[in-house]
């Protein structure tokens, strides 16, 4: 099999425009962002000094004055179309560097570290699974793979906090826009009976199954499908054959709003709809769409300009 080729896109910006650039890229559909910022880098070094004796001066020099956002697309026609979509109207200088599959994976490993979420979850990259897990934490092993879902993005952290609060052992979960499967697999790690996950990107299917396997979760409990629940009526009908205690949608406002009318038909009577990926300036629009669909917002979580909403029937 030919090795997958990737393009690394680096958007150069400034600290005061960083949030704006990230928001524009996310609104265009790109959630898998790697942020390189000198101050964050220096803070990371300071907090993790126990892991090295010295830091190469060349690396320090390379990060000096840097504020950039990186993301990745495949080096083919689909990837180039995505690139045009993501950068349209960005009005920001960017560079493109061809990478191999291995280069891409290594670029994640250099910066990724375990992440504590909520009061119980502990997201761990699979290459660090031998490291001790803090007392009282439930480990969730993850290979970020080639699809968004590392858990480091604010919207994903907000959703994971909600997953931790609302997962009920023995109940079922539906994850719409699953990416690498982080939310639904986390729910299974916390005791959910089963989960169905759907993503518009076919690449997400294998990545989510691989991440589930890292946590000892098989296809008897976890089903991943590729498709668009907004346009594929057969898929929507299939998902609607049962009801779920927890329905997840960590997507963007422009998808959550048209999705809202489908949600009541997917929820159990005491179920929870948890949606995230919402830029804070659009929260009211999403709240209005949920209300119109017959749902009641019971909680709003906010972090770094992003919001997550929890709603019930």
């Amino acid at each position: 099999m030919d090795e997958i080729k990737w393009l690394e896109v680096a958007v150069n910006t400034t600290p005061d425009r960083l949030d704006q650039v990230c928001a524009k890229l996310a609104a265009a559909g790109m959630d898998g962002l790697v942020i390189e910022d000198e101050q964050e880098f220096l803070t990371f070094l300071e907090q993790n000094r126990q892991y090295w004796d010295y830091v190469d001066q060349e690396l320090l020099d390379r990060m000096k004055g840097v504020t950039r956002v990186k993301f990745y697309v495949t080096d083919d026609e689909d990837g180039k179309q995505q690139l045009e979509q993501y950068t349209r109207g960005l009005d920001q200088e960017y560079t493109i560097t061809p990478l191999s599959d291995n280069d891409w994976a290594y670029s994640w490993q250099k910066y990724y570290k375990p992440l504590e979420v909520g009061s119980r979850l502990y997201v761990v990259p699979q290459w660090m699974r031998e490291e001790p897990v803090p007392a009282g934490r439930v480990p969730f092993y993850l290979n970020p793979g080639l699809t968004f879902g590392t858990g480091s993005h604010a919207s994903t952290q907000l959703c994971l906090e909600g997953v931790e609060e609302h997962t009920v052992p023995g109940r079922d979960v539906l994850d719409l826009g699953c990416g690498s499967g982080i939310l639904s697999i986390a729910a299974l790690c916390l005791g959910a009976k089963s989960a169905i996950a759907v993503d518009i990107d076919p690449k997400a299917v294998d990545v989510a199954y691989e991440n589930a396997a890292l946590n000892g979760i098989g296809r008897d409990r976890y089903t991943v499908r590729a498709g668009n629940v907004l346009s594929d009526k057969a898929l929507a009908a299939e998902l609607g054959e049962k009801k779920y205690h927890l329905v997840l949608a960590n997507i963007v406002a422009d998808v959550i709003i048209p999705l809202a009318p489908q949600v009541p038909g997917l929820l159990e009577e005491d179920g929870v709809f948890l949606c995230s990926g919402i830029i804070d300036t659009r929260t009211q629009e999403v709240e209005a769409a949920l209300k119109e669909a017959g749902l009641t917002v019971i909680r709003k979580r906010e972090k770094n300009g992003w919001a997550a909403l929890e709603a019930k029937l």
Side-chain angles (χ1 to χ4, degrees):
M1 183 181 294
D2 292 338
E3 184 182 74
I4 299 174
K5 300 294 184 182
W6 294 85
L7 298 176
E8 180 183 77
V9 185
V11 183
N12 298 309
T13 184
T14 55
D16 61 309
R17 295 200 63 189
L18 180 60
D19 288 345
Q20 180 184 356
V21 169
C22 290
K24 282 187 175 181
L25 288 169
M30 169 44 71
D31 288 316
L33 303 177
V34 178
I35 298 172
E36 295 183 351
D37 177 76
E38 181 186 17
Q39 191 52 55
E40 286 192 11
F41 175 67
L42 294 176
T43 300
F44 173 78
L45 294 181
E46 185 63 34
Q47 292 176 350
N48 295 273
R49 286 189 177 277
Q50 66 270 34
Y51 296 117
W52 46 68
D53 295 321
Y54 72 95
V55 177
D56 194 313
Q57 185 61 45
E58 181 183 345
L59 179 58
L60 291 171
D61 292 342
R62 193 161 69 240
M63 289 299 296
K64 191 170 183 61
V66 164
T67 302
R68 71 169 68 96
V69 181
K70 288 183 177 180
F71 61 89
Y72 301 84
V73 296
T74 49
D75 190 1
D76 55 21
E77 285 307 309
D78 286 344
K80 288 168 185 174
Q81 288 178 13
Q82 290 175 342
L83 176 61
E84 197 279 329
Q85 172 190 329
Y86 299 147
T87 57
R88 188 184 304 133
L90 189 60
D91 191 28
Q92 203 77 24
E93 175 192 351
Y94 63 88
T95 59
I96 302 173
T97 305
L99 300 175
S100 70
D101 192 357
N102 289 336
D103 290 335
W104 194 98
Y106 180 64
S107 73
W108 278 99
Q109 291 186 25
K110 285 190 297 184
Y111 299 107
Y112 195 85
K113 59 185 184 297
L115 179 71
E116 294 186 353
V117 177
S119 60
R120 294 174 60 200
L121 279 172
Y122 191 61
V123 184
V124 188
Q126 59 90 10
W127 55 87
M128 297 181 67
R129 66 182 304 132
E130 301 304 320
E131 299 293 321
V133 176
R137 291 276 172 179
V138 176
F140 169 35
Y141 300 104
L142 179 71
N143 183 347
L146 307 176
T147 305
F148 171 66
T150 64
S152 59
H153 193 278
S155 66
T156 307
Q157 291 187 38
L158 292 172
C159 237
L160 282 170
E161 291 171 6
V163 167
E164 182 180 276
E165 180 174 339
H166 295 292
T167 294
V168 176
R171 306 286 284 274
D172 298 315
V173 174
L174 175 62
D175 185 1
L176 301 174
C178 66
S180 61
I182 184 169
L183 299 178
S184 41
I185 299 170
L188 291 167
C189 289
L190 290 166
K193 177 183 177 183
S194 69
I196 298 176
V198 182
D199 198 278
I200 196 170
D201 184 356
K203 298 186 186 77
V205 176
D206 288 340
V207 175
Y209 274 135
E210 289 170 8
N211 283 326
L214 289 174
N215 294 275
I217 295 166
R219 301 191 185 198
D220 57 325
R221 295 178 63 204
Y222 194 42
T223 302
V224 189
R225 297 284 306 277
N228 187 334
V229 294
L230 292 178
S231 60
D232 188 335
K233 293 183 179 179
L235 176 60
E238 179 186 333
L239 297 175
E241 289 176 358
K242 63 183 293 185
K243 294 185 185 295
Y244 309 85
H245 176 72
L246 187 58
V247 176
L248 307 166
N250 183 23
I251 319 177
V252 292
D254 285 333
V255 177
I256 296 170
I257 290 170
L259 179 65
Q262 294 186 32
V263 174
L266 298 169
L267 279 176
E268 293 179 338
E269 187 175 341
D270 62 341
V272 176
F273 177 52
L274 175 56
C275 56
S276 189
I278 307 164
I279 299 173
D280 56 6
T281 55
R282 303 201 62 190
T283 306
Q284 290 185 343
E285 288 178 67
V286 177
E287 286 184 287
L290 296 178
K291 183 177 180 180
E292 188 173 342
L295 296 164
T296 300
V297 175
I298 58 173
R299 180 169 181 179
K300 176 170 68 175
R301 301 174 192 263
E302 295 179 288
K303 184 173 184 176
N304 298 340
W306 296 88
L309 300 174
E310 298 169 14
K312 302 187 78 170
L313 292 170

